Amino acid sequence: MTQTTARMNIVFLDGYTLNPGDMEWTLFERFGNFTAYDRTRPEDVLQRAREADILIVNKTRLTAEHFDQLSRLRLVCVAASGYDVVDIRAARSHGVPVCNAAGYGTESVAQLTMALLLEATSHVGEYAAANRAGMWSRSEDFCCWNEPLTELSGKTMGIVGFGHIGSAVARLAHAFGMHIVAHTSKSPNALPAYVVPASLDKLFAESHVVSLNCPLTAGNRAFVNAKLLAGCRPGLLLLNTARGGLIDDTAVADALRTGRLGAYCCDVLSEEPPRADHPLLAAPRCYVTPHVGWATLEARQRLIETIADNIRNFMDGHPTNVVNP
């Protein structure tokens, strides 16, 4: 825990994942009395936040009950693009603006999305591990493989959600020679010339690869379900670097076992950290990374700067990145 004294009380309830010790908090300390906790249990939120004028949270939930009791609170900054951890309606009813940090991790998350896709199609990590175990050394030929290798050029990628990250994924996939279709609320005129809009059913039916890059809402929770997957192209590669709650875990695990899905590649799960018997951890052809797409040093530094800008602009009377106007 770190602290300095000045004008305003700013409390970061779960700062460790953003800054495990390789960066400084000085941008926040300039604004006032700053306290950063590594982690905060739900039962400790009220006690730690009671004197805060400004709260910063990453994955710590703020509920209607919290807003009812935190009468001093003036601003909530979410250290993420998604803000589903905050009861937006309750914050609005108490006149507390909630600011997110959209865009800070765009390039890093898009990079990991393509890394997951390349692992599922080229199996670099799997072959490196197999060769350390002697596979190539035992081969009678100059080359050997035990997994199918897939060329991306000419394949179709469907992207669900076309915000900052979705558009970056499209740009990278297009550079690989892929055809891009997107399910988005944006008008066709707002899309790059190489992107074709499509309905959700059509996108899943025609794409070789689908990347989920949309926010999690009450209306789309578990929308990737058994019914949708029943109509997908057999062997579809499904990527999810958005939110674990977008998929039905059991339906995806079943689709992997039957071969309806060729692979599921994700950086997010419905439970984080997951329980040991989470259905996807033991599913075949399931590639899971531990929510690290956002965690490059460069992205985390941009995140700190964005949060600091949100605080500064709020104090100057013109808050930015407000998600509950």
Side-chain angles (χ1 to χ4, degrees), residues 48-189:
R48 291 181 173 183
R50 197 171 300 280
E51 300 300 317
D53 300 289
I54 297 173
L55 276 181
I56 307 172
V57 297
N58 190 330
K59 292 294 180 285
T60 300
R61 292 194 171 277
L62 295 179
T63 67
E65 179 185 358
H66 294 140
F67 285 102
D68 287 342
Q69 298 188 55
L70 296 175
S71 58
R72 180 166 174 164
L73 187 60
R74 298 170 56 194
L75 174 70
V76 172
C77 291
V78 183
S81 299
Y83 46 89
D84 49 291
V85 298
V86 179
D87 188 323
I88 297 300
R89 182 178 299 180
R92 184 186 297 114
S93 70
H94 285 273
V96 178
V98 178
C99 302
N100 73 340
Y104 79 92
T106 295
E107 299 303 328
S108 292
V109 176
Q111 175 181 309
L112 182 69
T113 302
M114 297 307 293
L116 287 166
L117 176 57
L118 291 171
E119 181 59 38
T121 52
S122 296
H123 306 285
V124 173
E126 289 185 54
Y127 281 123
N131 287 335
R132 282 194 294 271
M135 183 186 75
W136 197 7
S137 299
R138 294 189 297 268
S139 174
E140 297 183 69
D141 303 302
F142 78 94
C143 67
C144 58
W145 64 89
N146 55 14
E147 293 282 353
L149 302 167
T150 303
E151 184 175 282
L152 293 176
S153 181
K155 302 296 190 300
T156 297
M157 173 180 273
I159 298 176
V160 181
F162 210 79
H164 294 290
I165 296 173
S167 59
V169 170
R171 170 170 44 83
L172 295 175
H174 180 63
F176 274 89
M178 302 185 76
H179 306 297
I180 312 297
V181 298
H183 180 67
T184 173
S185 59
K186 292 184 176 180
S187 69
N189 292 337

Side-chain angles (χ1 to χ4, degrees), residues 11-15 35-41 44-45 48-49 55-58 60-62:
V11 176
F12 198 153
L13 290 175
D14 51 350
T35 303
Y37 296 96
D38 286 348
R39 304 167 190 86
T40 295
R41 298 176 300 178
D44 294 330
V45 169
R48 291 181 173 183
L55 276 181
I56 307 172
V57 297
N58 190 330
T60 300
R61 292 194 171 277
L62 295 179

